[in-house]
Amino acid sequence: MKFLDEAKVYIRSGDGGAGCVSFRREKFIEFGGPDGGDGGKGGDVVVECVQGLNTLIDYRYQQHFKGKTGMHGMGQNRAGGKGADAVLKVPAGTQIFEEDGETLLADLTEVGQKIVLSRGGNGGFGNAYFTTSTNRAPRHANPGQEGIERTIWLRLKLIAEAGLVGLPNAGKSTFLATVSAAKPKIADYPFTTLKPGLGVVRLGDREFVLADIPGLIEGAHEGLGLGDRFLGHLERCNVLLHLVDATGDHAGEVYKTIRHELEAYGAGLTEKPEIVALSKVDAVDPETLKTQMARLKRAAKRTPLKLSAVAGIGVTEALGSLVQVIDQRNREAAAAEAPPWHP
């Protein structure tokens, strides 16, 4: 299945059904009077968060969604039926924006959430509605209201508790494959990962979701490489695991490059808790490892972890640090949502 995390969609709710002009014509009934029914309401456009989806690929093949028109009113005071709704099914983590791409309409983070984006037009009144003491035989009815049309953007941001960042070929996919059952593409050339991936990590009796995104390079915020659009999938993460390749040129400069790209993207990524690790430590000699650790420590202003997903070095320590930060952030969020205590 292809991965698509952004789609532009045109929606239009259904028109309301027209009211009916009708009179009761029955044998031996001299003054039957008006009996035209009201029109039915037009169908709404509803967005629903469902289980079993992890991409917006369905909206690559269909971009227009329209609610059905309400049924027209009929004689004998029969009202028209409501038009069928148009339902857009999206995965958890989908955000809905106006056509400008900036005005947020909804953020669907839980399965079962629904939002009505465009309500169908009301049905028109039949001539029976206009009967008064002075107008006993009205010969007009209302047309139904028109539906609402608009263009929206659907943007998927994966829901993960921890995220991996780093240059291409820094060992992010290898780490994800080692600690979870995910099977990302792994090779010895840059930009092996072309789409974000998720994996469920188990450490003891604790589970959390880890996200892997394509690597960043210098100038990614200007469109170089694969760009920085995939950083949107890290906005929901509680903590970032920053991997720096020990076999690279200068670990400190590499760290500063990634931090600069995160700062250029914004969205509060630089303010998130960060765990720094020097990866592929089994592929360098002790002298190079010592030099790279010192460079990375000066740049990050903290002692980095030593990590090798292939050799299993430091994997448990890195996961333990992630779980510790995730639990702390969850406790802070729960405390902020709890109502104040009153005697």
Side-chain angles (χ1 to χ4, degrees):
M1 179 183 293
K2 294 183 179 180
F3 184 85
L4 185 70
D5 60 357
E6 193 172 60
K8 189 177 183 180
V9 178
Y10 168 84
I11 60 175
R12 190 184 195 282
S13 56
D15 298 336
C20 174
V21 177
S22 173
F23 293 90
R24 183 181 179 191
R25 289 180 173 86
E26 194 171 340
K27 193 175 183 181
F28 306 123
I29 303 296
E30 186 176 2
F31 301 104
D35 66 350
D38 301 337
K41 182 178 178 293
D44 302 329
V45 178
V46 182
V47 180
E48 180 181 5
C49 184
V50 300
Q51 200 166 14
L53 294 179
N54 56 9
T55 175
L56 298 175
I57 190 64
D58 294 339
Y59 302 100
R60 173 171 288 177
Y61 308 108
Q62 182 181 358
Q63 294 91 27
H64 291 71
F65 295 86
K66 300 178 181 179
K68 296 294 184 181
T69 301
M71 293 183 63
H72 302 313
M74 295 165 282
Q76 300 180 5
N77 288 314
R78 290 176 294 174
K82 182 182 183 298
D85 296 338
V87 181
L88 285 68
K89 296 183 178 180
V90 298
T94 301
Q95 293 181 327
I96 306 170
F97 291 88
E98 284 280 13
E99 189 175 7
D100 59 9
E102 298 178 357
T103 306
L104 180 65
L105 298 176
D107 189 0
L108 306 179
T109 58
E110 297 179 1
V111 173
Q113 284 183 312
K114 288 185 180 181
I115 181 174
V116 179
L117 289 180
S118 296
R119 296 197 176 274
N122 291 326
F125 293 123
N127 66 334
Y129 176 84
F130 298 100
T131 305
T132 64
S133 60
T134 57
N135 185 9
R136 305 303 300 168
R139 297 182 180 274
H140 67 277
N142 281 350
Q145 291 182 339
E146 291 187 354
I148 302 172
E149 59 180 282
R150 64 200 304 183
T151 301
I152 60 172
W153 282 94
L154 301 177
R155 194 169 298 160
L156 175 62
K157 293 182 179 178
L158 297 178
I159 298 179
E161 296 168 283
L164 296 170
V165 292
L167 286 180
N169 240 22
K172 300 184 298 297
S173 297
T174 304
F175 182 80
L176 180 66
T178 301
V179 301
S180 71
K183 293 181 173 57
K185 184 177 180 182
I186 300 173
D188 59 351
Y189 55 86
F191 297 113
T192 309
T193 302
L194 299 177
K195 62 183 182 181
L198 292 177
V200 178
V201 181
R202 293 176 176 84
L203 183 65
D205 59 350
R206 184 71 170 81
E207 289 186 356
F208 65 92
V209 180
L210 181 64
D212 174 29
I213 66 168
L216 299 171
I217 63 172
E218 186 175 1
H221 65 282
E222 299 175 350
L224 298 183
L226 296 178
D228 64 352
R229 186 167 61 90
F230 291 112
L231 286 175
H233 297 286
L234 301 181
E235 291 183 19
R236 303 183 192 272
C237 295
N238 290 328
V239 58
L240 302 179
L241 178 58
H242 190 159
L243 299 184
V244 179
D245 189 357
T247 62
D249 296 332
H250 194 295
E253 295 299 326
V254 169
Y255 174 82
K256 293 178 181 178
T257 298
I258 298 299
R259 292 295 295 181
H260 175 68
E261 296 301 326
L262 295 179
E263 185 177 356
Y265 178 81
L269 292 185
T270 55
E271 301 171 4
K272 293 183 179 294
E274 180 188 51
I275 297 173
V276 183
L278 189 68
S279 63
K280 303 183 182 180
V281 295
D282 60 327
V284 295
D285 57 82
E287 187 63 30
T288 303
L289 176 60
K290 182 179 179 180
T291 303
Q292 293 285 55
M293 284 288 291
R295 291 171 175 173
L296 185 55
K297 183 177 181 180
R298 284 195 301 269
K301 296 181 175 59
R302 74 193 74 176
T303 302
L305 301 176
K306 296 179 181 178
L307 183 65
S308 173
V310 174
I313 301 173
V315 173
T316 304
E317 291 79 358
L319 295 180
S321 300
L322 291 175
V323 169
Q324 185 177 359
V325 176
I326 292 172
D327 290 342
Q328 181 181 352
R329 295 293 293 266
N330 290 340
R331 287 192 298 268
E332 293 175 356
E337 295 177 358
W341 181 83
H342 293 289

